[in-house]
Amino acid sequence: MITKENEKFMRRCIQLAKLGAGSVSTNPMVGAVVVYNGNIIGEGFHKRFGQAHAEVNAINSVKNPGQLSKSEIYVSLEPCAHFGKTPPCADLIIEKGIRKVYVGCLDPFSKVDGKGILKLRNAGIEVVTGVLEKECQELNRRFFTFVNLKRPYIILKWAQSLDGYLDKDFRPVKISNPLTNILSHKWRSEEDAILVGTTTAERDNPHLDNRLWSGKNPVRIILDKENALDKKLNIFDNSQPTIIVKEFDVNEILNKLYHNNIQSVIVEGGAKTHNLFLESGLWDEIRIFQSDEMLHCGTKAAKIQGSLVENTNIGNNKLLIFRNIIS
């Protein structure tokens, strides 16, 4: 039986895992805590792709290693059972004699996919699965989409007026406020790539970086069928990788991104590009900053679809987040 205490420790794993956002792709975000006599004596998370996994960092943080054989470990994702960039975490847990393992959710990656749990159980270790399973799956929705659907997780993002316009009289107008601008740059730091169409690249001349937030800049993906964009635009400043995509079929675009190991992409515009994804049904989230002002005319934002999962006020903007219920 899964107890409230089990859930408390798994929530800490999830908190820790989120600290790796934007740094571990194409690996999943994972957090782990070591518990002795009801108290956390070690904790860790996967900090960067290619570096030590959460379980290793948690175990190494324990000040008294002698307590490990009488401890339990909580992990938000099934411990790996294969050699990759690092040795198998399941082997380390067995080596340290940890008596019980609590797992948030299984890892669908073919080289793991239940093998980590099987290895632990074959070693005589008790394994409890499904602790806050939905929350742990939600944490790594990008990873699960990439592994299971063989495509990146797709976030459509735009700012619109109260009456649903992106600009006024087809000319740029400020809709976001300083707080939502910072949040936009935080989001960019958490995704592998950012995508815009030809018109947005030409008209707005964006940098598509996250200069208002720390962390790595996303890879810039530009839809340019004729490869005719002016090479003096900011997107060609060599400050971060830029990929030009000539395909305008969404399946072909996503296949190209998948084979470039891009696990997630935030699509920032414009309306034609958003509609390209919406009409294909290939999207996962819509994030909209909506102002409290009416513009009355201009470029109409894409028609909102999906299930509303968040409605938050941020200054004079409202943040609306929708999920694609069939993705």
Side-chain angles (χ1 to χ4, degrees):
M1 184 180 72
I2 296 171
T3 67
K4 293 292 184 184
E5 184 176 64
N6 298 151
E7 292 180 348
K8 177 186 75 173
F9 292 130
M10 190 59 71
R11 283 195 183 90
R12 179 56 182 160
C13 291
I14 293 171
Q15 286 178 335
L16 290 165
K18 289 178 179 178
L19 297 175
S23 300
V24 301
S25 178
T26 53
N27 282 349
M29 294 178 284
V30 185
V33 298
V34 180
V35 176
Y36 174 77
N37 283 345
N39 296 306
I40 294 176
I41 60 169
E43 56 182 33
F45 65 97
H46 185 29
K47 295 180 179 180
R48 191 170 296 278
F49 179 79
Q51 294 185 5
H53 289 184
E55 300 94 318
V56 176
N57 290 329
I59 288 170
N60 287 344
S61 74
V62 174
K63 293 181 179 178
N64 182 358
Q67 294 176 324
L68 286 169
S69 62
K70 299 177 182 178
S71 297
E72 304 167 340
I73 190 168
Y74 288 74
V75 191
S76 57
L77 187 71
E78 176 184 3
C80 61
H82 68 291
F83 282 88
K85 299 269 183 195
T86 58
C89 293
D91 288 0
L92 179 64
I93 292 170
I94 294 167
E95 176 193 327
K96 297 300 181 182
I98 294 173
R99 63 182 186 176
K100 192 169 186 178
V101 180
Y102 290 89
V103 176
C105 62
L106 302 187
D107 185 339
F109 182 54
S110 60
K111 291 184 178 179
V112 187
D113 198 18
K115 298 178 181 69
I117 289 170
L118 181 62
K119 180 178 275 193
L120 293 170
R121 286 176 173 161
N122 285 343
I125 296 172
E126 183 180 355
V127 181
V128 178
T129 61
V131 184
L132 295 183
E133 183 175 31
K134 289 183 179 179
E135 290 88 339
C136 290
Q137 290 171 340
E138 168 71 9
L139 167 72
N140 277 307
R141 58 192 185 277
R142 295 162 181 79
F143 174 74
F144 288 122
T145 298
F146 191 75
V147 171
N148 293 328
L149 301 182
K150 303 294 186 290
R151 67 163 175 83
Y153 188 86
I154 305 154
I155 301 165
L156 309 181
K157 179 258 177 184
W158 67 82
Q160 68 179 40
S161 63
L162 187 59
D163 52 350
Y165 288 98
L166 303 176
D167 52 37
K168 185 173 178 62
D169 295 325
F170 306 100
R171 295 180 180 178
V173 63
K174 194 67 177 172
I175 294 175
S176 301
N177 63 41
L179 288 176
T180 53
N181 280 339
I182 292 171
L183 181 55
S184 289
H185 284 236
K186 178 179 182 292
W187 288 344
R188 290 177 180 182
S189 75
E190 294 171 347
E191 310 306 334
D192 285 352
I194 182 168
L195 185 151
V196 299
T198 308
T199 302
T200 298
E202 241 172 2
R203 186 184 69 176
D204 298 348
N205 192 21
H207 287 86
L208 302 180
D209 58 14
N210 54 286
R211 59 194 176 278
L212 300 181
W213 195 263
S214 61
K216 68 174 180 62
N217 286 315
V219 175
R220 297 181 287 210
I221 311 296
I222 314 298
L223 302 186
D224 183 11
K225 194 171 187 178
E226 306 299 328
N227 197 20
L229 284 169
D230 187 342
K231 297 304 183 284
K232 293 181 180 178
L233 291 171
N234 290 324
I235 55 171
F236 298 113
D237 64 5
N238 295 316
S239 63
Q240 63 210 77
T242 298
I243 299 174
I244 301 297
V245 178
K246 297 180 182 180
E247 296 87 354
F248 270 57
D249 177 274
V250 174
N251 284 292
E252 291 182 12
I253 294 167
L254 298 182
N255 186 56
K256 187 180 184 76
L257 299 186
Y258 176 77
H259 285 98
N260 275 276
N261 274 332
I262 290 173
Q263 189 183 88
S264 63
V265 59
I266 186 162
V267 182
E268 289 209 0
K272 183 178 178 180
T273 303
H274 287 140
N275 279 315
L276 195 67
F277 284 87
L278 289 167
E279 289 166 5
S280 73
L282 291 168
W283 62 277
D284 299 288
E285 286 185 36
I286 300 173
R287 299 178 183 177
I288 300 171
F289 291 130
Q290 181 173 281
S291 74
D292 56 4
E293 297 181 0
M294 306 280 278
L295 293 179
H296 305 293
C297 62
T299 305
K300 197 72 174 174
K303 185 178 180 181
I304 298 172
Q305 301 179 21
S307 177
L308 181 66
V309 296
E310 185 172 338
N311 185 339
T312 307
N313 291 318
I314 306 177
N316 66 330
N317 283 178
K318 187 181 289 289
L319 170 60
L320 305 171
I321 299 182
F322 296 82
R323 290 284 181 85
N324 187 347
I325 57 175
I326 63 170
S327 65

